[in-house]
Structures are given as structure tokens and as C-alpha cells.
Amino acid sequence: MKILGLSAFYHDSASALIVDGQVIAAAQEERFSRKKFDAGFPTQSIKYCLQQGNLNLSNLDEIVYYEKPFLSFERLLSSIVSTAPHSLLTFLSAMPIWMREKLDTRSHLTKILKRDFPEEILPPLSFSQHHLSHAAAAFYPSPFESSAILCLDGVGEWACTSGWQGQGNNIESLWEMSFPHSLGLLYSAFTTFCGFKVNSGEYKLMGLAPYGEPCFVDVILRELIDLKIDGSFRLNTKYFPFVSSLRMTNQNFAHLFGINPREPESALPQIYKNLAASIQKVTEEIMLRLAKTLKKQTGSENLCLGGGVALNCVANGVIAREKIFKNIWVQPAAGDAGSALGAAFASYHLHHKAKRAIQPPDKMRGSFLGPRYDKKSIHDFLQSVDAKFSELEKSEILSQTCQDLKDQKIVGWFQGSMEYGPRALGARSILGDPRHPDMQSRMNLKIKFRESFRPFAPIILDERCEEIFKDAFHNPYMLFVTHIKDQYRNSFPAITHLDGSARIQTVTQKENPFLHELLARFEKETGCPLLVNTSFNVRGEPIVCSPEDALRCFIQTDIDSLVIENFYLRKQDQTFSRSDKRWSVKLELD
Amino acid sequence: MLIQELWQFMRIRKKYWLFPIIMILLLFSTLILFSQTAVLPFVYTLF
């Protein structure tokens, strides 16, 4: 059975193809369109998925959209009516898009599919539910036969937080918390108040938290949120006008903390760092309580996490350290992009009642589900743009890259199929030596052009992880934060955050042999079994997808050398001009 | 087709009060179609 899942029209559109329960391909539209968090219809992503499956639309058994638009519309109208007349502006802003596209999503999707795939017969179109799609994306590809499932996000239809139990091919809902009482929206409210963009700045707030003191935890728990012992909560809407207006926080919120919202890109006074630390602490507490509740309700040894809040790897690390569950698995594309996959899985197992086979370590294939490029096309491209490159053997690539890293050079690393989800996991990464004290600020300011406080993550040989990090475990998707052991506290300044934490990614020989070999070689030559790994992009840009994207990023930044499969380019050999229109790119800061 | 699906939805959800609002919206949809949605960076994509 061949099912295509789609998520679109809100943020981070994507498509995913499963055939007989196997994930064939999955990709976010932003990777092709080069618009960060592209909310448009994922035509290019669909074309890629179909090409990977050697299929066309007519061959599919079903297309599944990731949520139910009528339920979202009901939530929207209910909120507007209950807060009228204050909600007039929201009403006027929301209705055009709903009348034009979203209310009749079925017709809208059909129209676009007929336009973009004119020769083909469309398969049946069905609709999953937003949190069911998250739960399905979290459970079905996981290595567990049975598991508790916790989904947390901003909002989909009504549900913002939900608990589920997965068993075999079935997922059963246990409970849900509805809009506006949302942990994702609470976190986003603080994100925007601290001067970062909603829906992209949440990572920054999490990265900022260790610089602050959680001195507002009591205020938050007293005034903003009524948190119960079981983790259920209600927001005090006196402080959150998003139900009725187009803002996340209001004057009451500002008065409570005695400070105005921070202007984007302005200085970062300590109080905003304290706010970040405080909301991070509250988030961890809520997630911890919810995990404990689910443990009591299900008795399961396993937990699957999904929804955008599950990308809060600091909170995930806290849950893991508490050892409430023996095993935790987080969907690497936990946000709405991953729901394309979840929608397809939900239909396959729940609607079509297909049996589920467990595939250790999981069904995500390292999350390397996106496009790859063959050697000939890379060679032809590099030649066509007059790039100066060498074609090397794999062993030469490893030794050259290793030498560059030892020389404190920064390397653009492009290998195989690209990642599905927000993290670069070694297919489209920028690598550096973590031992160098200047590496973090150099990479932030000269390569990524982003805020200097933002930390970098280490990529480490799986077999050496326990030696360097506390509470270390197999962590291939960079979704848990752990702490570096005291004796190594000053050894790897580029990847050690202020509080000694690090968002680790472990690499095994089986999962990523080439990257594993690079790390092993670097360790052999330097004694250091880890590298800095950051996504191959600059601020505001989606992760590079094609060799052309990679070359553009290489030209526009201070990356010293670029490795695309077995082609090696050195910056000093190139004659490209940064001001050349072909290589310049206009990006909106995120 | 859309109205039929909406009616079925309202019946299952027992949200009949949505009916007049949706009817008015559909009646004025021609006017609404020409207006633009403001996409704001400081609010979550709630709609």
C-alpha cells in the first residue's frame, strides 16, 4: 500500500511517502523552495517523494492531509465569538484565507494537485487529526511494540497537549488539553516577548536560558499558569491575548515583569535571560509531571514524544535523567513537518488496519530521507560554474578533512541523503574542532551570522560518549541535552554551554559509517572523539539541499573548505565573487 | 458538497450555532476573497 502524507498551509510544509509501512522518502518544502519554514503547498517535496518511490500520483492508494480543517475552523470561530468584539481584527485577518483556501481544503488541495500534476488521476484524499498525526509520527516509526505517547505543540485543531497509548498497530487517546491552554503557545509568548520570532526563535530562547537565573518561576506559576500535580494546567488568559488578538502577550504581561517587550536585534539585558531561564524551568516541570502521569496511566517502560515542544531537547534531557521511563524515543521531525509522515502512518495502521513490524533501531533510517545527488551531477555542476575542485578517493577525503579540522579550519560537509526535520545530523553539516576556544564565536559570527550566545552541538563516536558525558545514551537525532563530565569541562569549549550542558548526537558505525570513520580518524590523530556539528546554512536560510545551495553558502561565508560527496573545494582556490548575483541570496532574519 | 460536509460536521459535533456564522461568511465570501490576510511575525500561526 502506497500512502503520501502532506502537511501544509501553516508552517514547515512537507510530504512523506510510505510504501507497505516502510518510509521511502520525506522532505520539507523549504529545502527546495529555499524559503525558511515555507508554508506553501509542498509540490517540489511531493515530486521528490514520488521520484524516490518510482511512482506517480495515479499509483498511490491514498493522500492524507495532516489535520482536519473544519475542527480548526470551529476552534477559530469559537475563540472569535467568545471574545467578541475584541476579536474583530483576528476575524478580519483570518477570514480571507479561510474563505479562499482553508475551509474547503479538500477542493483547494485537489485544485493544486490537478494543476501541478495535470496528467494524473488523483487518488482518494483523506484527513487525519493534528495530534493524532503527531502521535503516529512519534509511535509508529519507533522501536517499541507498546509505548506511552506524549504530544505537545502550539495548537492544531483544539488539542495542544495530548496523551496516548500505542500498542502494536493501534494508538488510543487517553486525554487531551485544549486551546488556549498550550505549553507551546506559552513558550512562544516568552519567545516573542524576549525579542525573537515566534516559531523560529524558540530554539534561541532555550539556548539563552543557561545565561539567566530562573528567578521568575514562582511568578509564572502564581500568575500565568495554574499547574496541577498531574501536569495539567490552565493559562491565565488575562496575560495572553492571542485568543482574541494578533499578539502573544499584552500590557498585563509586561507589568507583571516590570519590563517592556525586547526589540528584536537589540541588546539583551539580564532580565530577558532570566525570563528565558524561568520559562524553560517551568516547561521542564510541566513535561516532567505529564511524563509521570503517563507512566502511572500506562505502566509502560517506553515513552514516545512528538509535537514541536518535543524539540526542546533540554526538557527531553530532564525527562531522560529522571528515568521515569526505561526508554525514550523522540521523532526527529517532531514539529508539523513530521506530521506528514504521521498522517500517512495513522491512515496505514488505523484506517487500513495494516500490521506493524518493529524495526530496530527505528524506521527513520537516521532521518536521512531527503534528496541525494549522484557524483556525475555534482561533477557536472561544479564544472559548469567553474569551481576549482579535486575529485578524491573516500580515504583521501577523510584524511584531507581531518587535516583541515586539525588546522582549525571550518568544513562544509555534504554527504548522501539530506535530513528530514530541523537538525543537521551529518548529511548537511558544518564541522569544526571543538577544542578551540574561539570556534564558537567564529562559527556564530563569521559562518552562521547569528547571535553570539548561541551554542553548538557536538557529534561524537557513540562508543566514546559515556566517557565524556554524564547520563549518556544512544542519541542519534540530537534531541537530548546532557552534561559534560567535570574533568572535560574545559576541554571542548566550542560545544560546552555555560552550564556545562551539550546537545549531543552520537554516531555509530552502522548508522553513518563515513561520518563515524571521520570521527574515528580525528580521534586517532588528536585524541578528541567529537566535532562541532552545526547545520549547513546561515541565519534565516533553510539547510542546504543541493550542491548549488552548498556552494552558495560556501561562497557567502568564511567556511574554509567544502566536501560534496568525494569532491573537495578549498576557499583560497576559488575565484567566485560574493557580490555576484548568482551567489548572493536575500534572507529574512529568523 | 462543502455545505453538505459542513452540515454533517456541525451535526456530529453538535455545534449548530456555527451554521448562521458560516452562512453569512459564505454569502459575503466574494468580498472577503478580495481582502488580504496579514501575516504577522509576533503571533503563532493560529489560523
Side-chain angles (χ1 to χ4, degrees):
Chain A
M1 179 164 280
K2 301 172 262 305
I3 303 177
L4 183 76
L6 300 181
S7 83
F9 308 136
Y10 286 86
H11 41 247
D12 221 3
S13 298
S15 70
L17 175 67
I18 62 168
V19 175
D20 297 330
Q22 296 298 320
V23 187
I24 302 300
Q28 288 132 280
E29 186 67 5
E30 64 159 28
R31 308 287 157 88
F32 303 94
S33 68
R34 310 307 300 153
K35 282 185 223 156
K36 190 127 180 167
F37 305 123
D38 193 348
F41 186 76
T43 300
Q44 295 181 82
S45 166
I46 294 171
K47 284 182 178 167
Y48 157 70
C49 287
L50 293 174
Q51 188 193 9
Q52 282 301 105
N54 212 6
L55 297 167
N56 52 43
L57 277 188
S58 319
N59 305 131
L60 295 174
D61 293 290
E62 191 179 18
I63 294 177
V64 191
Y65 184 68
Y66 79 126
E67 69 167 30
K68 291 193 185 286
F70 286 1
L71 276 175
S72 301
F73 193 57
E74 179 198 310
R75 187 252 303 155
L76 182 63
L77 282 186
S78 297
S79 310
I80 286 169
V81 168
S82 67
T83 54
H86 304 289
S87 50
L88 182 65
L89 193 59
T90 303
F91 178 77
L92 293 174
S93 303
M95 284 312 118
I97 188 93
W98 272 93
M99 289 294 112
R100 209 163 36 226
E101 298 168 4
K102 291 187 176 177
L103 185 58
D104 199 1
T105 299
R106 182 183 292 280
S107 300
H108 187 55
L109 288 172
T110 307
K111 209 164 98 185
I112 299 175
L113 285 166
K114 278 186 175 162
R115 181 196 68 197
D116 294 346
F117 301 87
E119 304 296 313
E120 302 186 30
I121 302 159
L122 299 189
L125 180 62
S126 64
F127 295 81
S128 177
Q129 276 197 26
H130 194 100
H131 265 235
L132 175 63
S133 299
H134 279 314
F139 175 63
Y140 288 125
S142 81
F144 309 139
E145 171 64 24
S146 69
S147 177
I149 309 164
L150 178 59
C151 300
L152 309 110
D153 69 354
V155 64
E157 295 114 355
W158 278 103
C160 301
T161 309
S162 58
W164 308 72
Q165 182 154 27
Q167 174 70 49
N169 69 345
N170 192 36
I171 290 179
E172 199 179 306
S173 169
L174 298 175
W175 47 262
E176 69 175 46
M177 286 188 260
S178 297
F179 181 82
H181 308 292
S182 160
L183 181 55
L185 293 178
L186 174 68
Y187 206 89
S188 291
F190 277 84
T191 300
T192 186
F193 191 80
C194 290
F196 304 116
K197 265 191 188 170
V198 167
N199 237 331
S200 66
E202 284 78 3
Y203 302 122
K204 300 181 190 181
L205 200 71
M206 187 177 71
L208 187 65
Y211 292 90
E213 285 298 320
C215 52
F216 294 115
V217 168
D218 290 344
V219 181
I220 293 171
L221 292 176
R222 192 178 64 236
E223 288 291 329
L224 299 186
I225 179 169
D226 178 15
L227 176 62
K228 304 295 184 197
I229 197 80
D230 62 359
S232 62
F233 62 88
R234 289 183 72 81
L235 297 187
N236 185 349
T237 50
K238 178 182 156 192
Y239 296 98
F240 303 102
F242 54 74
V243 180
S244 59
S245 78
L246 299 172
R247 300 203 76 88
M248 296 300 286
T249 60
N250 57 15
Q251 275 301 313
N252 296 334
F253 190 96
H255 285 150
L256 182 68
F257 296 107
I259 190 164
N260 285 324
R262 174 180 165 257
E263 283 298 317
E265 309 303 319
S266 65
L268 249 172
Q270 187 60 36
I271 189 166
Y272 296 104
K273 298 174 186 172
N274 295 345
L275 283 171
S278 304
I279 191 60
Q280 179 60 35
K281 200 90 190 152
V282 170
T283 300
E284 290 163 18
E285 184 59 32
I286 294 171
M287 287 179 70
L288 205 54
R289 289 189 193 188
L290 289 170
K292 284 178 182 169
T293 299
L294 268 180
K295 174 72 184 179
K296 269 188 216 161
Q297 290 172 334
T298 63
S300 178
E301 287 192 326
N302 307 317
L303 174 68
C304 294
L305 286 169
V309 181
L311 294 169
N312 191 315
C313 46
V314 182
N316 295 350
V318 172
I319 297 175
R321 274 197 297 283
E322 287 283 323
K323 297 192 173 22
I324 305 160
F325 293 89
K326 196 173 164 192
N327 308 297
I328 305 179
W329 192 83
V330 186
Q331 163 57 244
D336 282 0
S339 294
L341 184 62
F345 267 125
S347 177
Y348 183 63
H349 290 297
L350 294 174
H351 181 66
H352 298 286
K353 311 270 182 221
K355 282 194 176 162
R356 173 172 173 253
I358 310 294
Q359 270 174 244
D362 60 47
K363 281 192 175 172
M364 293 300 291
R365 300 205 326 256
S367 214
F368 301 119
L369 300 165
R372 69 179 302 149
Y373 296 82
D374 60 51
K375 282 179 192 167
K376 187 180 179 310
S377 69
I378 298 167
H379 181 272
D380 292 352
F381 163 71
L382 291 174
Q383 215 162 39
S384 73
V385 295
D386 203 21
K388 308 290 179 277
F389 63 95
S390 332
E391 189 171 355
L392 305 176
E393 292 297 320
K394 287 273 179 185
S395 61
E396 292 173 308
I397 285 285
L398 288 176
S399 59
Q400 186 60 59
T401 306
C402 208
Q403 188 57 49
D404 284 356
L405 291 166
K406 281 196 301 181
D407 294 341
Q408 305 304 316
K409 287 182 178 166
I410 293 169
V411 180
W413 182 256
F414 183 114
Q415 296 291 329
S417 299
M418 91 166 296
E419 300 86 346
Y420 177 49
R423 301 273 94 89
L425 302 169
R428 304 289 186 274
S429 290
I430 298 171
L431 305 176
D433 184 345
R435 299 167 301 166
H436 200 276
D438 294 338
M439 191 56 81
Q440 185 196 0
S441 60
R442 204 174 131 211
M443 282 178 109
N444 266 333
L445 301 174
K446 296 268 181 90
I447 308 289
K448 305 280 283 188
F449 306 123
R450 67 184 200 183
E451 300 86 343
S452 61
F453 67 84
R454 294 181 64 184
F456 286 105
I459 188 166
I460 182 168
L461 288 170
D462 191 75
E463 57 271 27
R464 296 293 308 278
C465 191
E466 262 183 49
E467 183 192 324
I468 292 170
F469 294 99
K470 297 175 193 169
D471 303 307
F473 58 95
H474 182 57
N475 186 4
Y477 300 124
M478 212 186 262
L479 285 165
F480 294 88
V481 158
T482 184
H483 289 78
I484 200 154
K485 286 185 177 169
D486 295 339
Q487 62 266 40
Y488 293 106
R489 186 69 193 254
N490 299 315
S491 307
F492 312 109
I495 56 90
T496 310
H497 209 8
L498 202 68
D499 56 353
S501 65
R503 189 181 64 192
I504 57 168
Q505 181 199 350
T506 59
V507 180
T508 61
Q509 210 275 333
K510 201 176 169 189
E511 285 164 357
N512 195 336
F514 198 50
L515 188 59
H516 186 271
E517 213 175 328
L518 176 69
L519 284 161
R521 184 182 278 250
F522 189 71
E523 185 193 23
K524 197 175 161 196
E525 294 183 19
T526 64
C528 170
L530 54 117
L531 290 169
V532 178
N533 172 22
T534 186
S535 53
F536 198 159
N537 61 346
V538 296
R539 186 178 172 191
E541 183 192 25
I543 301 177
V544 301
C545 179
S546 66
E548 183 170 352
D549 304 331
L551 187 65
R552 184 178 293 114
C553 190
F554 174 59
I555 293 167
Q556 289 299 330
T557 62
D558 283 354
I559 294 175
D560 298 295
S561 51
L562 172 62
V563 179
I564 306 181
E565 298 295 345
N566 60 332
F567 299 95
Y568 176 77
L569 293 84
R570 277 193 311 193
K571 181 61 72 57
Q572 70 255 37
D573 297 339
Q574 310 305 321
T575 53
F576 300 111
S577 161
R578 280 189 185 175
S579 54
D580 185 336
K581 267 190 184 168
R582 168 149 199 193
W583 304 114
S584 62
V585 58
K586 226 177 175 183
L587 297 169
E588 197 185 321
L589 291 183
D590 63 4
Chain B
M1 180 70 176
L2 173 67
I3 292 174
Q4 203 179 350
E5 279 188 20
L6 277 167
W7 176 247
Q8 204 181 354
F9 169 79
M10 284 181 268
R11 214 159 43 88
I12 292 166
R13 299 277 299 168
K14 296 191 172 39
K15 296 279 169 99
Y16 297 104
W17 62 268
L18 288 170
F19 186 73
I21 302 176
I22 291 174
M23 283 303 110
I24 290 167
L25 284 170
L26 289 173
L27 281 172
F28 285 93
S29 61
T30 327
L31 277 176
I32 294 167
L33 285 176
F34 289 108
S35 47
Q36 289 294 311
T37 296
V39 180
L40 301 166
F42 41 80
V43 71
Y44 191 87
T45 39
L46 295 166
F47 50 83

